[in-house]
């Protein structure tokens, strides 16, 4: 695949890795948070850790829109799906997320709710047109990448005057989450997990640009590299961070220059602005309530807003007691620090959100990294 | 950094409140778990334990017999059994009807997403009990899960293999004019037991399904009367369908006597109530036997000596008829045709 | 996060749709969120939408960088 | 009074516009007709023609092998085949994977009321062609019809029997550290061909299912390299599931090399698009072979000489590992776990 | 079964048969029309014909409510069943009746319509209560026996204020049909099929009594015997008719004295009168339009009348060209006179109504009597 | 036509319902169309409704008639 395979070249990977090894000072640690699960995934799937010197330490951030969805929101979605004559559509990732009482959308479907996996928000629109006698609700999740498509669907529904379609909006914002992590008492006050730099999600920045990170690169004096998701991109961004740290710089650099600009995609930003507005607060799984960290549908589109249409009320539900997702999402703990990792909590029976999506830190570690730990243990 | 991670560990299936999920058929760990904790546990035997996609068995000498049936009964549980025991009995019977000793069964499950694991376990355990009681192992199997609304709880295919001792030749095409026709007991029990559970029919009858494995009855019959021409279990379509099949295969006619047919009063009454004819109602533990006339008395005696044939009866005889009609002498001395069922039997009001 | 891949725009269609290709796989997607997409261009595809243009020259520059970097460190 | 009544006459099935009705499974004349005009016509062979509820076959000497699979693929037709050909290939392959020569198949159909007879005929004819091409007969069968909404068009169970020549011992528990792991060709084709038809995914790929009967490839392999330890077809759950099964059964670890895995570009691309991993995608005409290291070169040569193995590759080796982990050396020299699939593979957005 | 088995005693049957043989004059024919398919069925199923002298000739009348339903009415029922969110309920018998274009309710069901077999009209009510969001229509057919139960269902629906239930009424009247047969030109003017006497349906008379037959016994000078459906009842009624004919009487006699009275069941009659009124005309399959031969729902219950509720319009559809049902129902022809009997028309693929229900003359003859004809031919 | 059988009323229930028996088969049916049904009586059952009472004495009289008739014609 053009512009994919080239960035997976094992030979070039070796060269990048050697450059990192050469430049990383052996005396110090480079604590790098990859905010986004996509980077976590790439690190695990390609075994990048094996290529890098011990001084590079990755800390997995909260960057999986599925993992950060709080239980109460999944409960809401299940309630919608169980309404008579209702079809709930969502992306495949969300179907397995654990909700209250051992439920999930997949289980609700097994029990008779009409839950459909869609590939695109437009598929949900298509389903609504095909079933004029049913309520069709699109359970919208995702970061800034996924929000513009939802905006397009909302606008099309309005243009077509579709009466049986609505969106249950759970779109969240990356910069707010990163800021929250840096503002967390453990980080700021106690300094338990000193983070040296960030790998920023390139796909988000194709839409929002790199500029939104400039504020806290400066404010928190941490370098940020907007990085692509191919393994060479990740290695390259590590190298770029090592160089900034070695040089004492804390800039926003753009590794994914092939698709990210400083200002991002204005047209997509406009679509979002037309349809959505900031929520004053939103609960993130693991992070708790984060101010101005999510979007909701503007009052002009209230008829297309499932929260409004069905009078949904939100009830916060605490995570499983043993679950350390909160600490893991903040970079305070590692999956292996969780007592139930790999026994009560497995990808088949996830207790916490980090075990749900392949992007989740626990899931990625279970699937790709578990044997290493076992080898060390044995 | 220490961890409680157990390699390959999975939380045990929740047989109390859990239900079948698509993942149980997805080829991953959930499927392996269902196979281990349910099927392997219930059917445990060396062939299955091997864990291969096929079983290897050492057959005794003789010709090999193979029979297959998919079971789609609704409801899945009924007085006298459930789809699990039925799936074992049904296929053992098809194997046994050519005089073979059943050796092994395969089991193919098609499960509907959402079906309760507790009920599935009851079904699998009944299967296992029925198989053990019959002395047959489930040597290999398969599990598929279909989306909710694409199945009906549980479908089970069983395929049976067996071995016919040399010299034995039973086949539906061997009936000859003059032969006698016997049935191993009262007819229609299974069908009536099932219908009594249909909400839309809503009646209660003191009838349990006759579901049973007949291979031992068959062995006893053939030991004593190896001249038996053919055996068949009158399942779907009832005695009428089976007699029509046999007359067609053999190119003969068959006459049965209404008065000789063993039918329980409640089966008769349920049929009256619904406008059905017991001749068309399914059986799952009965057989029809055709034998030369001089052997029928002995055959009847052997059948009656066996618990599954205690109410056996001589019900008619084979005649010459190139049209292959099955007729019945009514209790009045009149005669009528006993045709194949037309379409499915629907309860009638008129 | 945000699984997205570069695809080539083969053919622009009505209503903001376009036929795209990725390694021989073709799919009709929405390109209305990217200003002025033309046939032959590469875009980044996410949940059925192009969310940005891919700059081929930049991509080549990045790769060239990797290759040079390699040369320094080569054994 | 004269009449045109033809005894036993039924109007031929309408294969152009007709559809499956409950009566086709009711045990009456409609069912007999479907069996005659469709199944018997397509599968014609002496055992089936006998018209009994079981088939008698004369096996050559050797141990008997039996394998069963229910097929529930959706959609029923796909590039490279349909559920009919798939049902034949799938079971032949399971029989062949222990080195057996397949002898006979059974076919159990579960049809949904309303399914077009024209499509059913296409399926049955594909089955028949696939079986003939493989030199195997469908010797007995079964047809059930379920109410609309209680099935999914057509489900087919096939059970296969075969015979393993004496001396051959293939089993998933025979892999030993040091053994080599081979695959017979590019992986993921079947799964991607199926997914390309799902309306909800909506993509086109120049990929056809690899559905094929592998028994002749297996015969060629075993002729030349009888030391093969085990063979298995990586169907549901893909290569990842099969390697995990084998490592579990044998109590060993397996390491494969990412770079050695044959994968077509379009399969790779489709997986990228959907967020799937080709290691978990189903195959229906591929096999994994494990053999002693000194035999792998010869084995690879034989495989490559056969049309169904022309792209065969040595992909890894068996190692000692009491945890039974499957690992992959990535193209980067890193290593990762290749675990069982968790749940079903769902397309991802992140 | 009490009061059933006793009336199937083969020994007593022989005695009755011998009495008939003894009393029937060998010089004449006794042409007896059994109006009702139930009697046709009993004659076939028990082989009564074999017991009787050749001078007794049975002529099968139109007395099967399924067989007399015209195609247009089945078409209406199928249209209802195909409406979205509608459940059509009916008795098992009606599901296979051929409609236009090779259709039937069974086929409509196979194609996705929600058609349910019920055992009783009350089951249809139960279904309506269980599915408040669906329209539930009871496709009501039958003679005077089946009408009172439908009346009870309509009244209960009204009492319960059920909003989603209605009845598609196709109830027909026995005496009107018998009269039509006697009025048919072929009978009255041409005298083609001289009928000597009638076996009247006892179950109908349990409700309407025997009195309604008194008019035409007198008017047409034909004896009528109201007869039970057990084989001994049929034989007994034949004997009673033979005696009347031998003695030149034409009275209404009641063989089924164990449940039929002259006045019938007043309470059931009242229920019918409350809910139904006469239709000015109704098409019968085979007989054409017969005046005042059917019932419709009274205007007071118009909301429960599916014809009113769905604005059904009736379109008469001619029977298959080759079909002789009309002549057979009138006693003018025998099933074997039909060219397509047993080849194009079989119980699996019925062309005409007489082949549909087991009660139909053609079906009964195909199922129970065909081999006799074949034997004679061979 | 009008398939109907005699059943014995075992137990009267609410709302015009009754439990009836026929040869060991039991069913709950509606007896509201027949005036004054009592337990132990036989009724004629059709489509789930009793449509009339069965007069046992009359039934016996009819059977007696058959038997007498038989006697005359007996060989
Ligand atoms: S292993 Fe499970 S419970 Fe533990 S932190 Fe991860 S997701 Fe939470
Ligand atoms: S055989 Fe068929 S077509 Fe002919 S009269 Fe009878 S029902 Fe009509
Ligand atoms: Mg719903
Ligand atoms: Mg069978
Ligand atoms: Mg069978
Ligand atoms: Mg059988
Ligand atoms: Mg299998
Ligand atoms: Mg198998
Ligand atoms: Mg298989
Ligand atoms: Mg296999
Ligand atoms: Mg069968
Ligand atoms: Mg409908």
């Amino acid at each position: 695949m053009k512009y994919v395979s080239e960035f997976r070249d094992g030979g070039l990977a070796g060269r990048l890795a050697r450059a990192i090894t050469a430049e990383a000072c052996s005396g110090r640690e480079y604590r790098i948070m990859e905010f986004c699960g996509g980077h976590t995934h790439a690190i695990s799937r390609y075994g990048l850790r094996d290529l890098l010197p011990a001084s590079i330490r990755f800390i997995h951030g909260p960057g999986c829109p599925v993992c950060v969805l709080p239980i109460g929101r999944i409960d809401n979605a299940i309630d919608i799906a169980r309404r008579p004559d209702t079809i709930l559509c969502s992306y495949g990732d969300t179907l397995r997320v654990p909700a209250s009482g051992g439920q999930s959308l997949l289980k609700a479907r097994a029990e008779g709710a009409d839950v459909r996996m869609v590939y695109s928000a437009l598929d949900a629109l298509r389903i609504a047109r095909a079933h004029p006698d049913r309520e069709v609700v699109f359970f919208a999740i995702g970061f800034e990448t996924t929000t513009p498509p939802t905006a397009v669907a909302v606008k099309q529904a309005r243009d077509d005057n579709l009466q049986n379609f609505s969106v249950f909006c759970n779109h969240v914002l990356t910069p707010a989450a990163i800021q929250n992590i840096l503002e967390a008492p453990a980080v700021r006050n106690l300094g338990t997990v000193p983070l040296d730099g960030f790998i920023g999600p390139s796909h988000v920045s194709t839409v929002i640009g790199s500029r939104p990170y400039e504020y806290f690169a400066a404010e928190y004096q941490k370098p940020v590299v907007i990085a692509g998701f191919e393994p060479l991109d990740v290695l390259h961004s590590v190298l770029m961070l090592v160089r900034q740290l070695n040089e004492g710089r804390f800039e926003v650099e753009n590794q994914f220059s092939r698709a990210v600009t400083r200002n991002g995609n204005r047209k997509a930003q406009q679509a979002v602005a037309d349809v959505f507005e900031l929520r004053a607060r939103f609960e993130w799984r693991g992070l708790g309530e984060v101010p101005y960290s999510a979007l909701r549908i503007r009052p002009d589109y209230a008829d297309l807003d499932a929260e409004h249409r069905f009078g949904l009320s939100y009830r916060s539900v605490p995570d499983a007691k043993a679950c350390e997702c909160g600490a893991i999402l903040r970079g305070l703990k590692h999956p292996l620090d969780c007592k139930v990792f790999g026994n009560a909590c497995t990808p088949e029976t996830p207790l916490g959100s980090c075990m749900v999506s392949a992007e989740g830190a626990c899931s990625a570690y279970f699937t790709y990294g578990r044997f290493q730990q076992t080898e060390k243990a044995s | 950094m220490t961890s409680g991670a157990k390699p390959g560990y999975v939380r045990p299936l929740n047989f109390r409140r859990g239900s079948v999920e698509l993942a149980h058929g997805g080829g991953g760990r959930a499927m392996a778990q269902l196979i281990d904790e349910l099927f392997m546990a219930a059917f445990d035997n060396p062939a299955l334990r091997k864990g291969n996609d096929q079983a290897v068995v050492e057959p005794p000498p003789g010709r090999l017999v193979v029979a297959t049936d998919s079971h789609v009964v609704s409801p899945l549980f009924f007085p006298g059994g459930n789809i699990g025991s039925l799936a074992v009995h049904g296929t053992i019977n098809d194997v046994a009807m050519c005089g073979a000793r059943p050796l092994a069964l395969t089991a193919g499950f098609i499960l509907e997403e959402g079906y309760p694991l507790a009920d599935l376990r009851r079904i699998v355990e009944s299967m296992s009990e029925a198989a053990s009681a019959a002395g047959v192992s489930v040597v290999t199997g398969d599990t598929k899960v279909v989306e909710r609304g694409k199945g009906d709880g549980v479908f089970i295919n069983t395929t049976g293999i067996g071995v016919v001792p040399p010299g034995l030749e039973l086949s539906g095409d061997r009936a000859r004019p003059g032969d006698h026709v016997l049935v191993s007991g009262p007819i229609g029990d299974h069908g009536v037991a099932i219908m009594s559970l249909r909400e839309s029919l809503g009646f209660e009858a003191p009838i349990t399904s006759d579901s049973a494995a007949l291979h031992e009855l068959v062995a006893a019959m053939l030991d004593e009367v190896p001249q038996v021409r053919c055996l068949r279990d009158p399942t779907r379509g009832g005695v009428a369908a089976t007699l029509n099949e046999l007359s067609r295969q053999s190119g003969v006619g068959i006459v049965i006597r209404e008065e000789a047919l063993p039918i329980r009063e409640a089966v008769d009454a349920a049929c009256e109530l619904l406008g059905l004819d017991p001749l068309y109602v399914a059986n799952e533990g009965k057989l029809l036997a055709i034998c030369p006339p001089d052997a029928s008395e002995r055959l009847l005696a052997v059948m009656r000596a066996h618990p599954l044939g205690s109410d056996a009866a001589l019900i008619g005889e084979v005649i010459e008829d190139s049209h292959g009609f099955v007729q019945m002498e009514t209790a009045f001395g009149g005669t009528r045709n006993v045709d194949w069922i037309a379409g499915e039997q629907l309860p009638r009001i008129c | 996060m945000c699984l997205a891949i570069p695809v080539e725009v083969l053919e622009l269609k009505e209503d903001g749709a376009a036929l795209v290709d990725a390694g021989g796989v073709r799919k009709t997607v929405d390109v209305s969120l990217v200003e002025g997409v033309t046939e032959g261009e590469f875009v980044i595809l996410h949940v059925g939408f192009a969310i940005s243009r891919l700059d081929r020259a930049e991509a080549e520059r990045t790769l060239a960088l990797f290759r040079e970097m390699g040369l320094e460190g080569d054994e």
Side-chain angles (χ1 to χ4, degrees), chain A, chain B, chain C:
Chain A
M1 275 176 75
K2 193 69 189 143
Y3 304 120
V4 172
S5 353
E6 299 92 322
F7 292 88
R8 293 183 186 170
D9 185 311
L12 293 180
R15 297 179 188 189
L16 279 161
R18 282 191 295 274
I20 294 166
T21 308
E23 298 194 27
C25 307
S26 55
R28 60 165 296 181
E29 242 192 352
Y30 298 84
R31 285 152 305 206
I32 297 171
M33 171 172 273
E34 83 277 9
F35 171 79
C36 175
H39 290 130
T40 312
H41 189 77
I43 292 165
S44 302
R45 175 164 171 182
Y46 295 97
L48 300 188
R49 197 185 303 270
D50 295 353
L51 302 184
L52 293 173
S55 59
I56 308 292
R57 190 174 150 208
F58 289 113
I59 290 140
H60 313 304
C64 161
V66 167
C67 307
V68 301
L69 265 184
I71 291 179
R73 289 258 151 192
I74 306 284
D75 287 350
N76 282 156
I78 291 173
D79 288 346
I80 295 173
R82 288 208 175 117
R83 296 173 60 91
D85 294 318
T86 301
I87 301 172
L88 184 96
C89 302
S90 195
Y91 298 123
D93 314 52
T94 59
L95 303 190
R96 294 199 293 137
V97 186
S100 298
Q103 275 294 325
S104 69
L105 283 166
L106 268 190
K107 287 193 175 144
R109 186 179 75 181
E111 288 164 10
D114 197 341
V115 174
R116 307 210 186 162
M117 191 208 73
V118 292
Y119 174 77
S120 153
L122 297 184
D123 295 336
L125 271 188
R126 190 177 40 72
I127 290 171
R129 288 193 196 98
H131 296 91
D133 52 327
R134 315 271 298 273
E135 281 285 334
V136 175
V137 182
F138 178 55
F139 180 27
I141 64 149
F143 284 101
E144 290 86 345
T145 41
T146 318
T147 309
T150 304
V152 171
V154 169
K155 289 174 145 208
Q156 282 196 13
R158 165 62 56 85
D159 290 350
D160 297 4
N161 194 22
L162 258 188
Q163 296 299 317
N164 63 324
F165 178 79
S166 58
V167 169
F168 177 39
C169 176
N170 291 273
H171 287 298
V172 289
L173 301 173
T174 308
I178 297 190
Q179 189 166 349
N180 177 275
I181 287 164
L182 292 173
E183 296 281 0
V187 180
R188 204 162 175 90
N189 303 338
L190 309 174
T192 321
V193 185
L195 296 174
D196 295 312
F198 285 91
I199 295 180
S202 58
H203 292 146
V204 163
S205 283
T206 64
V207 175
I208 66 171
S210 60
R211 193 207 295 263
Y213 298 97
E214 292 172 5
Y215 161 74
F216 41 73
E219 165 77 10
Y220 299 95
Q221 308 205 344
K222 306 283 185 198
V224 175
V225 174
I226 312 292
F229 291 100
E230 297 309 329
L232 294 191
D233 292 323
V234 176
L235 290 174
H236 187 201
S237 65
V238 169
L239 180 61
M240 289 165 79
L241 281 170
V242 165
R243 284 179 180 166
Q244 283 205 48
L245 290 166
N246 286 350
E247 295 164 17
R249 289 185 290 123
F250 34 84
E251 294 161 22
V252 175
E253 289 181 326
N254 178 11
Q255 185 277 331
F256 202 60
S257 59
R258 57 192 189 272
V260 166
T261 59
R262 181 155 180 260
N263 291 319
N265 181 343
R266 300 270 194 204
K267 201 174 172 194
Q269 290 165 20
Q270 188 56 51
V272 171
D274 290 347
V275 172
F276 300 103
E277 61 183 19
L278 272 180
R279 282 183 201 264
R281 63 184 54 76
F282 192 81
E283 184 183 347
W284 292 53
R285 199 174 241 182
L287 300 183
E289 288 221 331
V290 179
Y292 299 107
S293 63
L295 299 175
R296 68 166 173 237
I297 293 174
R298 284 189 179 282
D300 331 358
Y301 290 97
D303 55 317
L304 293 164
D305 182 352
E307 287 179 74
H308 179 263
R309 195 179 184 110
F310 303 112
L312 297 185
S313 63
Y314 181 71
R315 198 172 63 88
S316 172
V317 177
D319 270 315
K321 242 190 184 160
C323 181
E324 302 278 13
C325 278
I328 291 167
L329 290 175
R330 280 195 159 84
L332 296 172
K333 294 204 171 166
H334 184 274
L336 290 182
D337 295 331
C338 173
K339 278 204 214 73
V340 294
F341 173 85
N343 45 65
C345 186
T346 69
E348 282 78 18
T349 54
L351 280 187
S353 56
C354 303
M355 193 57 100
V356 171
S357 159
E359 307 296 289
C362 293
S363 171
Y365 199 78
F366 188 94
T367 304
Y368 298 124
R370 184 167 39 104
F371 80 96
Q372 298 167 323
Q373 192 270 330
T374 315
E375 272 187 347
K376 282 166 205 149
S378 62
Chain B
M1 208 184 276
T2 65
S3 150
K6 304 177 192 165
Y9 175 88
V10 279
R11 250 198 293 180
L13 284 174
N14 184 342
F15 279 112
R16 272 201 301 155
R17 285 197 311 247
S19 54
V20 172
E21 297 170 28
L22 286 175
H24 289 127
R29 190 182 280 115
M31 184 169 103
Q33 181 184 19
L34 185 74
I35 292 172
D36 276 6
E37 294 181 20
L38 179 57
F39 298 117
M40 212 70 112
F43 297 134
D44 188 47
N45 63 65
L48 199 60
R49 223 175 295 129
K50 272 276 197 179
N52 291 325
D53 280 354
Q54 69 290 114
V56 179
V57 287
E58 300 268 5
R63 284 155 308 147
L64 202 64
V65 168
V66 54
T68 194
D69 263 331
S70 295
H71 299 266
V72 300
V73 66
S74 171
L76 297 171
F77 292 85
F78 47 81
N82 61 47
I83 190 173
S85 50
L86 187 66
V88 168
H89 295 153
T91 292
I92 286 181
N93 291 347
D94 276 347
V95 168
M97 290 304 134
C98 68
R101 182 158 77 74
L103 283 181
L105 289 175
T106 67
F109 292 84
I110 299 176
L111 309 176
E112 187 186 9
E113 183 187 20
Y115 190 74
L117 287 175
D119 291 345
L120 180 60
R121 182 155 71 174
R122 283 170 63 204
I123 289 169
V124 171
E125 285 174 352
S126 296
M127 263 186 101
S128 159
E129 281 160 28
S132 302
V136 177
S137 295
V138 174
V139 292
T140 189
D142 178 53
T143 312
K144 294 292 186 311
V145 178
V146 294
E147 279 175 46
R148 193 178 177 104
K150 302 281 169 86
D152 195 14
V154 179
F155 298 144
I156 306 177
N157 175 283
T158 44
T159 300
I161 54 176
V163 168
V164 212
L168 214 51
E169 275 286 3
L170 271 66
S171 174
D173 56 9
R174 296 185 63 244
R176 293 293 166 264
D179 284 354
H180 283 182
V181 181
L182 294 83
V183 68
S184 63
I187 64 172
D189 292 5
H190 177 72
V192 166
I194 294 289
M195 283 185 274
S196 74
L197 298 174
R198 297 261 159 86
E199 195 199 13
S200 59
L201 303 179
F203 64 88
E204 271 171 60
I207 293 290
T208 55
S209 166
D210 58 345
S211 180
L214 297 170
H215 59 302
E216 284 172 3
L217 171 62
V218 170
M221 288 165 68
L222 294 176
D223 259 7
E224 183 68 25
V225 188
Q227 305 95 312
V228 168
R229 310 275 201 201
C230 48
L231 299 174
R232 188 158 301 169
D233 53 339
T235 52
R236 263 184 301 177
V239 166
T242 299
L243 291 176
N244 273 282
E245 282 170 34
L246 295 173
S247 65
R248 188 171 84 146
Q249 274 180 269
S250 292
V252 297
I254 293 176
V255 187
I256 57 171
R257 279 184 313 281
E258 186 168 24
E259 280 173 321
L261 277 175
I263 306 181
R264 295 184 205 280
E265 189 188 10
V267 168
D268 230 347
C271 286
E272 287 295 329
L273 192 74
L274 301 172
L276 305 177
D277 185 333
L279 281 171
Y280 296 92
V281 176
N283 308 277
E284 291 291 351
K286 295 298 174 317
L287 59 80
L288 288 167
I290 295 183
C291 69
D294 55 0
S296 68
E297 212 169 300
R298 252 181 319 141
L299 189 58
L300 198 59
V302 192
M303 289 167 79
R304 287 187 172 154
H306 191 279
L308 292 173
S310 50
D311 295 314
L314 172 62
I315 60 167
E317 63 177 58
V318 178
I319 59 169
E320 224 161 317
D321 177 0
S322 62
H323 296 304
F325 279 128
V326 177
Q327 302 169 45
M328 181 157 83
E329 280 174 17
T330 70
F332 291 79
T335 312
R336 67 160 168 113
N337 202 6
V338 176
D339 206 353
W340 297 88
I341 193 174
E344 10 147 37
Q345 272 223 123
L346 293 171
R348 298 184 299 122
I349 64 155
C350 69
Chain C
M1 181 191 67
C2 313
L3 196 84
I5 57 169
V7 298
E8 184 178 356
V9 177
L10 296 182
E11 193 191 327
L12 292 170
K13 302 184 157 193
E14 292 192 344
D15 294 328
L19 180 69
V20 302
D21 175 285
V25 171
R26 287 166 181 217
K27 185 166 172 60
T28 300
V29 305
D30 187 299
V31 295
S32 69
L33 287 167
V34 181
E35 194 68 56
V37 172
T38 59
E39 293 176 3
E41 274 194 307
F42 278 74
V43 291
I44 306 279
L45 175 69
H46 173 63
V47 296
F49 285 77
I51 55 170
S52 83
R53 179 173 282 105
L54 183 132
D55 182 332
R56 304 173 69 157
E58 269 300 330
E60 295 306 338
R61 257 193 294 280
T62 304
L63 284 169
L65 195 72
F66 295 167
R67 285 187 208 108
E68 283 163 35
M69 188 176 305
L71 292 179
E72 309 158 23
D74 244 354
E75 282 110 312

